[in-house]
């Protein structure tokens, strides 16, 4: 049973954002680090570990991000050295256990320290690069490791003809025909972080290419929003996981959370590029965010739902041969009305970036509305951190706070992102 929320603090204050990061780290810091290597992953709400032997690449890398960014934010605090050491501890586990020295790739999952799934996911490599870049921001020497990850992606995953990354390969780097936007979105994020960490313009240039191709060229094929799933030739795959709209990493339907996440990334690129930023970045960010909120916000129970799709896609027409849906004309329906923590967090960061970029008060109002909703329903006021998933009426399904992938990287990341904007660290030059 969830406790009643305390009054919502002032999240326009940097001190409030810093306090929320500190409170969230207070949940993970005493219990996440495994002295034998890496981090424990699977936490219940009260912090107990319900599976000590299983490790997932996404969690392993995101915990490095969490501890590295905490070391940066609280550099003068009593936990900075401890957090930096934890980030280094996690990097060693990535290199010595997840990484296969023969292929250069990273095991997707481990069981008892041995590779369980050796599939090479570009999504996973995105978080390897993000972990390395975040650690470099914290003062750790990861420049060579970042170069190695860039080269690995160039050698295997990069498609120079399409200007996007391939998605999934077997242990011998043979790629499946599936193509996905999610890997490219998180690679865009990681490339921006890599540029921030070392100032190398190749990272920022590639991030801009990914953003342009996904949010303009590919989105034009799917009605103006970013669709999740694509064929090998980057034509729309309307059917992929149509029967599984709740899939953890590859759900069917338009994802409001990914539209707002792209909006955040476009505005981050715009800030970094300064006077050289192309004119399309801001209007595209606004379009993705505004459409996501228009169709994804639950006016009855609050929060943003997980997935929606055009009404026309409910029939049995052959989707690969059908024209793209007209999102302006087609009625919308929710294919998954659950509320996920990361969707609300990414919308928080995007709303503040849009407010900073446009000065429009409605985005500030959205930011405050989203924080109020998250504070009332997602933040665990008894133990710390955020719950992972709620139903439409904001009821919890279980007490599994941190299964695979959930490390509060999104929630603390939103705070770090908003703080950077407030401090002018990514303001347009």
């Amino acid at each position: 049973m969830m406790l009643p929320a305390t009054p919502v603090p002032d999240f326009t204050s940097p001190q409030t954002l810093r306090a929320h990061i500190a409170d969230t780290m207070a949940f993970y810091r005493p219990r996440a680090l495994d002295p034998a290597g890496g981090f424990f992953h699977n936490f219940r709400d009260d912090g107990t570990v319900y599976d000590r032997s299983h490790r997932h690449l996404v969690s392993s890398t995101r915990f490095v991000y969490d501890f590295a960014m905490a070391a940066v934010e609280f550099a003068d605090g009593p936990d900075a050295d401890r957090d930096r050491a934890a980030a280094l501890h996690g990097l060693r586990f990535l290199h010595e256990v997840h990484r296969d020295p023969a292929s250069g790739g990273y095991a997707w999952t481990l069981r008892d320290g041995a590779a369980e799934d050796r599939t090479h996911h570009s999504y996973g490599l995105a978080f390897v690069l993000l972990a390395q870049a975040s650690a470099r921001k914290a003062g750790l020497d990861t420049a060579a490791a970042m170069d190695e990850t860039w080269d690995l992606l160039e050698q295997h995953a990069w498609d120079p003809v399409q200007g996007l990354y391939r998605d999934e390969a077997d242990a011998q780097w043979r790629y499946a025909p599936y193509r996905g936007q999610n890997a490219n979105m998180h690679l865009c994020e990681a490339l921006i972080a890599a540029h921030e960490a070392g100032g190398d313009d190749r990272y920022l240039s590639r991030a801009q290419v990914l953003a342009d191709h996904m949010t303009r060229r590919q989105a034009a094929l799917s009605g103006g929003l970013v669709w999740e799933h694509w064929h090998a030739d980057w034509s729309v795959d309307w059917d992929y996981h149509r029967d599984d709209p709740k899939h953890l990493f590859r759900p069917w339907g338009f994802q409001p959370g990914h539209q707002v996440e792209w909006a955040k990334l476009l505005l981050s690129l715009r800030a970094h590029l300064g006077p050289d930023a192309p004119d399309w970045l801001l209007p595209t960010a606004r379009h993705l965010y505004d459409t996501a909120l228009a169709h994804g916000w639950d006016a009855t129970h609050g929060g943003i739902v997980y997935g929606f799709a055009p009404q026309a896609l409910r029939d049995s027409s052959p989707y690969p041969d059908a024209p793209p849906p007209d999102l302006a004309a087609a009625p919308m329906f929710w294919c998954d009305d659950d509320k996920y923590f990361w969707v609300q967090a990414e919308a928080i960061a995007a709303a503040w970036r849009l407010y900073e970029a446009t000065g429009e008060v409605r985005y500030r109002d959205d930011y405050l509305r989203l924080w109020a909703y998250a504070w009332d329903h997602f933040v665990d006021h008894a133990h710390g951190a955020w719950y992972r998933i709620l139903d439409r009426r904001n009821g919890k399904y279980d007490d599994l706070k941190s299964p695979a992938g959930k490390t509060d990287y999104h929630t603390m990341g939103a705070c770090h992102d908003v703080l950077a904007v407030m401090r002018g660290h990514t303001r347009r030059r």
Side-chain angles (χ1 to χ4, degrees), residues 248-279:
L248 180 60
F249 294 118
R250 296 179 180 177
W252 183 80
F254 287 109
Q255 299 293 295
H258 286 160
Q259 314 306 318
V260 299
E261 197 165 357
W262 267 117
K264 178 195 76 173
L265 293 172
L266 295 181
L267 294 173
S268 178
L269 275 171
R270 181 175 179 265
H272 283 298
L273 291 168
D276 298 325
D279 292 339

Side-chain angles (χ1 to χ4, degrees), residues 283-323:
T284 304
R286 292 179 64 144
H287 166 69
L288 295 176
Y289 175 93
D290 290 347
T291 308
L293 268 288
H295 295 302
W297 178 260
D298 183 348
T300 302
H301 300 287
I304 303 170
V305 300
Y306 193 52
F308 65 82
Q311 187 94 358
L313 296 186
R314 288 192 298 181
D315 62 28
S316 59
S317 62
Y319 304 129
D321 300 325

Side-chain angles (χ1 to χ4, degrees), residues 321-341:
D321 300 325
D326 181 356
L327 293 181
M332 309 300 288
F333 76 98
W334 293 338
C335 51
D336 186 351
D337 61 10
D338 285 340
K339 314 293 172 58
Y340 278 74
F341 78 103

